[in-house]
């Protein structure tokens, strides 16, 4: 039996201890089961591993003892990229993600309109641009359903939305606008808004006109979303925003003992950030509570391929996606250098090949100017050429990817909007998880919720089968880019811990490591990829405290 030093002795620790018996303990390093069958938790840490008899002997009257009946214990699963607060808000409206055609969208909207009080706003989310087919993405396609209704429909990428004519009128948006970033109020040839708003700065013009939820409503929605995530097996997440009152909400839930995920929060740094604002971002690092902290900064190098705001080395089929999100990309490079010198890790949204290349070049310059070890990341990486692959490992840049976006928003035959915009050559380089892994990069997986569903088993399954989650009979998109079961598992355990600089205390089943644990009815590594999303999560433990427990235990 392995035990802790005296400072973390099981019998002396202050928090209520926990003992898990009759378990199969899965080692994320080897993918094999450990010889131990039980573990003891105290003070939020794994205090001992051993056989049932030895571990049971450590329990006293204050100990919670759970017989797992042969269930499989793993390190707690961590989503490498999600948006808890904004996701909790966006997913309150009408879910349009299941609509596959324009008529289905119209019918869903019509049903929702009939439930609205006069003058009430309609909010929708998850709208797939593929439903418009060859038609322009504009509010006119949804007439007359929304003609007199103030409506905001978020497209699935969350970088664009459709606003109804009434919503535009209430917001006073009647023509094009200029922004400090690559954003656009899309207008027709006569200068009239079509309803399509690209990127946050444009979307916010109309969002501000809609009624806003109270703090109490936002808190309740966030708490409910996080509880559902814990029930799905998540013990942590890398939250890629700190907008609005996000940090206050985390503080509130943490203080009340209602935060069921360990969160690492990266506030945004947008174009136009001046020296004072940058200094504030640096000074904010490390702030937080018991189960959350601010660590890192999120930046954007481009938008999305589907709405023509990615940054590509060659234009897409519409002649779009030719510009960086930062009007002056060199300003981005300078800020990355300053953050690096301050020891602040960056996480940059970069989807197109030109965007990814510029981020790598910027990190390269930052490394050349100093010898600090800082773990920078690139988020999404949807299409990249061969010569960029090796640079991730060479520069120590983490590849943070969301394979379910490839599964659910593109098609193997490249007839989807994403693939058509890119053309065959670039569409064949979709989400190169396998190539990045083989090149030596540290690959971290996530959902980007609310863009895609957060259940981690579905994320790992998608990385393995690369098929649409709603129809697994469809062929996979880029099956040669699939990860193995162990690689996908490591990308949500060991690798997120490394990306966060926490490999000494997280991501493994080892004495002294955090007692963040996920327990499954069976082994996720031997469960077929297509069955994995249905594997029951029987117990989730955060900081030594159960946050989800199946009635079967």
């Amino acid at each position: 039996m392995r035990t802790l030093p005296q400072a973390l002795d099981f019998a002396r620790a202050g928090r209520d201890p926990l003992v898990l018996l009759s378990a199969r303990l899965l080692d994320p390093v080897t993918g094999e089961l450990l010889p131990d069958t039980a573990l003891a938790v105290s003070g939020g840490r794994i205090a001992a591993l051993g056989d049932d008899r030895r571990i049971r002997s450590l329990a006293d009257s204050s100990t919670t003892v759970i017989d797992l009946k042969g269930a499989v214990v793993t390190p707690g699963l961590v989503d490498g990229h999600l948006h808890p607060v904004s996701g909790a808000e966006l997913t309150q409206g009408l879910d349009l993600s299941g609509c596959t055609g324009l008529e289905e969208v119209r019918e869903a909207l019509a049903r929702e309109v009939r439930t609205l009080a006069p003058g009430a706003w309609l909010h929708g989310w998850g709208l797939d641009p593929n439903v418009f087919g060859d038609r322009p993405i504009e509010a006119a396609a949804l007439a007359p359903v929304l003609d007199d209704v103030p409506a905001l429909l978020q497209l699935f990428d969350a970088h664009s939305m459709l606003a109804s004519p009434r919503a535009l009128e209430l917001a006073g948006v009647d023509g094009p606008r200029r922004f400090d970033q690559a954003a656009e109020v899309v207008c027709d040839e006569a200068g009239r808004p079509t309803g399509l708003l690209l990127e946050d700065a444009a979307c916010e013009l109309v969002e501000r006109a809609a009624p806003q939820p109270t703090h109490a409503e936002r808190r309740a929605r966030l708490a409910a979303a996080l509880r559902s995530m814990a029930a799905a097996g998540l013990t942590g997440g890398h939250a890629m925003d700190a907008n609005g009152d996000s940090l206050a909400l985390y503080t509130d839930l943490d203080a009340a003992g209602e935060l069921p995920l360990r969160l690492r929060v990266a506030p945004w740094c947008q174009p136009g950030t001046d020296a004072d604002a940058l200094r504030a971002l640096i000074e904010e690092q490390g702030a937080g509570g018991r189960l959350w902290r601010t660590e890192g900064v999120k930046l954007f190098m481009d938008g999305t391929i589907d709405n023509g705001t990615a940054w590509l080395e060659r234009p897409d089929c519409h002649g779009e996606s030719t510009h960086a999100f930062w009007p002056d990309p060199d300003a981005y490079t300078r800020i990355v250098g300053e953050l690096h010198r301050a020891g602040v890790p960056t996480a940059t949204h970069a989807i197109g090949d030109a965007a990814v290349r510029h981020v790598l070049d910027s990190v390269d310059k930052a490394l050349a100017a100093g010898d600090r070890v800082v773990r920078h990341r690139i988020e999404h990486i949807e299409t990249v050429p061969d010569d960029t692959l090796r640079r991730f490992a060479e520069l120590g840049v983490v590849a943070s990817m969301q394979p379910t976006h490839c599964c659910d928003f593109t098609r193997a035959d490249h007839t989807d909007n994403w693939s058509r915009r890119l053309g065959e050559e670039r569409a064949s380089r979709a989400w190169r998880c396998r190539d990045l892994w083989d090149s030596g990069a540290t690959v971290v997986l996530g959902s980007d919720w609310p863009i895609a569903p957060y259940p981690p088993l579905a994320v790992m399954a998608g990385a393995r089968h690369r098929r649409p989650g709603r129809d697994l009979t469809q062929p996979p998109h880029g099956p040669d880019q699939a990860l193995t079961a162990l690689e996908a598992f490591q990308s949500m355990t060991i690798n997120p811990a490394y990306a966060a600089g926490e490999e000494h205390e997280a991501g493994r089943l080892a004495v002294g490591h955090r007692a963040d644990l996920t327990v499954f009815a069976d082994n996720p590594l031997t469960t077929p990829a297509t069955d994995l999303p249905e594997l029951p999560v029987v117990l989730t433990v955060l900081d030594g405290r159960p946050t989800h427990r199946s009635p079967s235990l």
Side-chain angles (χ1 to χ4, degrees), residues 6 27 66 99 199 212 238 318 350 431 519 549:
Q6 186 71 15
D27 180 8
I66 302 177
C99 297
E199 300 301 334
Q212 302 301 310
H238 296 175
H318 299 300
W431 285 267
V519 184
R549 182 173 178 176

Side-chain angles (χ1 to χ4, degrees), residues 19-26 33-39 50-52 66-74 509 519-520:
V19 159
L20 302 180
L21 302 173
S22 303
R24 289 181 284 165
L25 308 183
L26 182 60
L33 296 176
L34 296 173
D36 307 299
T37 60
L39 61 82
D51 61 36
D52 282 19
I66 302 177
D67 184 342
L68 293 181
K69 306 172 185 176
V72 176
V73 180
T74 77
L509 297 179
V519 184
F520 301 102

Side-chain angles (χ1 to χ4, degrees), residues 359-380:
V359 177
L360 292 170
D361 288 345
S362 298
V363 172
D364 199 355
K365 289 180 181 178
L367 294 173
D371 57 1
R372 295 200 70 151
V373 176
V374 184
R375 291 174 186 171
H376 300 288
R377 307 160 49 131
I378 299 181
E379 310 297 317
H380 309 308

Side-chain angles (χ1 to χ4, degrees), residues 224-286:
L226 292 174
R227 286 194 299 270
S228 295
M229 290 179 186
L234 283 174
T235 63
H238 296 175
M240 291 296 167
D241 60 62
N243 300 323
D245 58 352
S246 295
L247 301 187
L249 290 167
Y250 296 145
T251 299
D252 191 3
L253 291 176
D254 196 19
E258 298 177 37
L259 192 59
L261 261 67
R262 191 184 302 275
L263 298 173
R264 181 176 187 262
V265 184
W268 285 2
C269 179
Q270 298 276 48
T273 298
D274 60 19
D276 290 341
L278 186 61
R279 190 178 307 112
L281 283 170
I282 293 171
E283 292 173 351
E284 189 180 356
Q285 299 298 305

Side-chain angles (χ1 to χ4, degrees), residues 317-366:
C317 70
H318 299 300
E320 298 176 337
S321 285
T322 59
H323 302 291
F325 183 74
W326 288 63
D328 178 8
D330 289 340
Y332 163 88
T333 301
R334 289 192 297 271
I335 283 181
V336 168
E338 291 187 50
L339 291 170
H340 179 87
R341 287 190 293 275
V344 178
T346 62
T348 301
H349 169 121
I351 280 178
D353 45 19
V356 172
R357 191 182 302 279
H358 189 84
V359 177
L360 292 170
D361 288 345
S362 298
V363 172
D364 199 355
K365 289 180 181 178

